[in-house]
Amino acid sequence: MYLKIKKFLKKRIKTGGLLWHLLVFPQRFQRHRFRIFKGYWEARETKEMIAPLKTREFLKEHVSIVIQSAGRGEYLKRTIEALRKYFDYDPTKTHWLIIDDYPDSKETRDYIKSLDFFEKVILNEKNRGIGYSINRIFAGVHTEFIFYCQEDFEILQSVPIQRMIDILRGNSHLSQLMIKGTKEYVGALQTDRGYFEYYRMFGFWPYLASMNFLREHLPFPFYFTAPEFTFRLHKKGWSTAGVLGNKNDSPLVRHIGEERKVFVVK
């Protein structure tokens, strides 16, 4: 009976609102226990962390590839190798940044340290979760655009970054432009402008976004990061994300890792 009531309410309550918080609190507390209260306190630290973004002059036409890792070196290696092969943009205007949030994986960290093309490497001293980690690494971005990718997404074809930049600039209502994956895009609407629109959630599949846009809406929430950040954007009128290409195109990326050592997006 409880599950039926919960399912009924979830369909009628806006994600991220007060009633939604009350509804999901038991699940959240079961997963994180008393750490959840610590997380709200740590959010103050995160706001201070991203403060420099508010006045930063970003490098025009430059793109930062930001990789978020959580200790799964076997996936991370495939992700990085595919990005190196298929990220189609001027190398002189491309910057590489990475953050790892799983100190127990010495193998993963040794691999990261062996790479010489990263301009910024952050190795969290302890597991802090997605909200803290992406705020920390995003705070180090100095470029006009950011291409975000988690450690377990393998690019399959060439990703035309310049075309993605042009689409974002020409369609100012888009919060982000994702590359098409193997997932189902429920409710998507095809356009004739080189992308289709997606309304359900700000996605954490690989995406390109403007740092001028992101700095207006950071920090990312600590828990239930994707739905709560989406709710915040929708509340401000940003309800539309874009996905490059056509709905019937073959995917540009696939998700290669299911089992996680830590919860990345919750």
Side-chain angles (χ1 to χ4, degrees):
M1 179 61 73
Y2 168 76
L3 292 177
K4 289 183 179 180
I5 294 175
K6 183 178 178 180
K7 186 176 181 180
F8 174 82
L9 290 174
K10 284 184 73 174
K11 289 182 178 180
R12 290 159 177 79
I13 295 175
K14 286 188 176 181
T15 300
L18 177 60
L19 291 178
W20 179 85
H21 279 278
L22 293 174
L23 183 66
V24 301
F25 182 81
Q27 175 190 356
R28 186 185 300 185
F29 185 77
Q30 183 180 23
R31 176 175 296 157
H32 301 288
R33 298 297 176 182
F34 290 100
R35 184 186 173 196
I36 190 172
F37 300 108
K38 183 180 179 182
Y40 290 122
W41 176 260
E42 289 175 339
R44 298 177 59 186
E45 175 188 355
T46 308
K47 289 182 179 180
E48 294 178 1
M49 188 186 307
I50 66 167
L53 289 176
K54 298 298 183 181
T55 56
R56 181 168 296 163
E57 290 288 334
F58 296 119
L59 295 171
K60 296 292 185 182
E61 305 286 342
H62 286 238
V63 178
S64 289
I65 299 174
V66 172
I67 300 174
Q68 183 191 3
S69 168
R72 297 183 298 168
E74 68 276 19
Y75 296 134
L76 178 62
K77 185 176 182 180
R78 289 172 61 182
T79 295
I80 290 177
E81 288 177 349
L83 276 168
R84 298 266 285 174
K85 181 178 181 180
Y86 290 122
F87 193 84
D88 183 11
Y89 198 62
D90 184 350
T92 65
K93 296 181 179 179
T94 303
H95 308 255
W96 292 76
L97 296 80
I98 188 169
I99 186 166
D100 182 73
D101 192 40
Y102 198 71
D104 291 344
S105 180
K106 183 178 183 300
E107 179 183 355
T108 300
R109 297 208 161 177
D110 285 346
Y111 168 65
I112 292 171
K113 292 174 184 177
S114 74
L115 304 174
D116 61 3
F117 51 85
F118 280 104
E119 296 180 18
K120 191 174 188 65
V121 174
I122 297 178
L123 305 175
N124 284 346
E125 299 78 10
K126 59 181 180 179
N127 173 227
R128 303 292 295 270
I130 183 176
Y132 175 91
S133 296
I134 55 179
N135 283 317
R136 186 177 184 186
I137 193 69
F138 277 35
V141 172
H142 288 261
T143 58
E144 184 181 8
F145 293 95
I146 183 170
F147 185 86
Y148 171 82
C149 186
Q150 292 177 15
E151 69 185 345
D152 58 353
F153 285 89
E154 184 177 37
I155 307 296
L156 303 173
Q157 304 179 47
S158 178
V159 179
I161 298 300
Q162 185 59 59
R163 178 147 59 98
M164 295 179 72
I165 289 174
D166 293 341
I167 289 173
L168 280 180
R169 284 181 171 158
N171 299 274
S172 59
H173 65 295
L174 297 178
S175 60
Q176 63 179 163
L177 186 62
M178 292 179 278
I179 58 175
K180 188 175 184 294
T182 54
K183 62 178 289 184
E184 182 180 2
Y185 297 89
V186 178
L189 177 65
Q190 185 66 54
T191 75
D192 59 0
R193 299 187 293 278
Y195 70 94
F196 58 93
E197 296 185 344
Y198 185 59
Y199 310 97
R200 295 190 67 181
M201 185 172 289
F202 184 90
F204 280 79
W205 282 63
Y207 68 82
L208 186 77
S210 162
M211 281 304 296
N212 285 309
F213 168 80
L214 286 173
R215 68 176 167 187
E216 296 300 319
H217 305 287
L218 295 180
F220 287 103
F222 267 53
Y223 296 105
F224 290 80
T225 304
E228 290 200 25
F229 190 68
T230 299
F231 176 78
R232 185 190 302 170
L233 292 182
H234 285 193
K235 194 173 181 180
K236 295 179 179 179
W238 294 92
S239 60
T240 309
V243 183
L244 181 68
N246 298 306
K247 289 190 289 184
N248 296 325
D249 288 347
S250 58
L252 292 180
V253 65
R254 64 184 170 198
H255 190 203
I256 59 175
E258 295 297 336
E259 294 186 13
R260 296 190 181 278
K261 293 184 174 66
V262 295
F263 291 108
V264 177
V265 178
K266 292 296 175 186

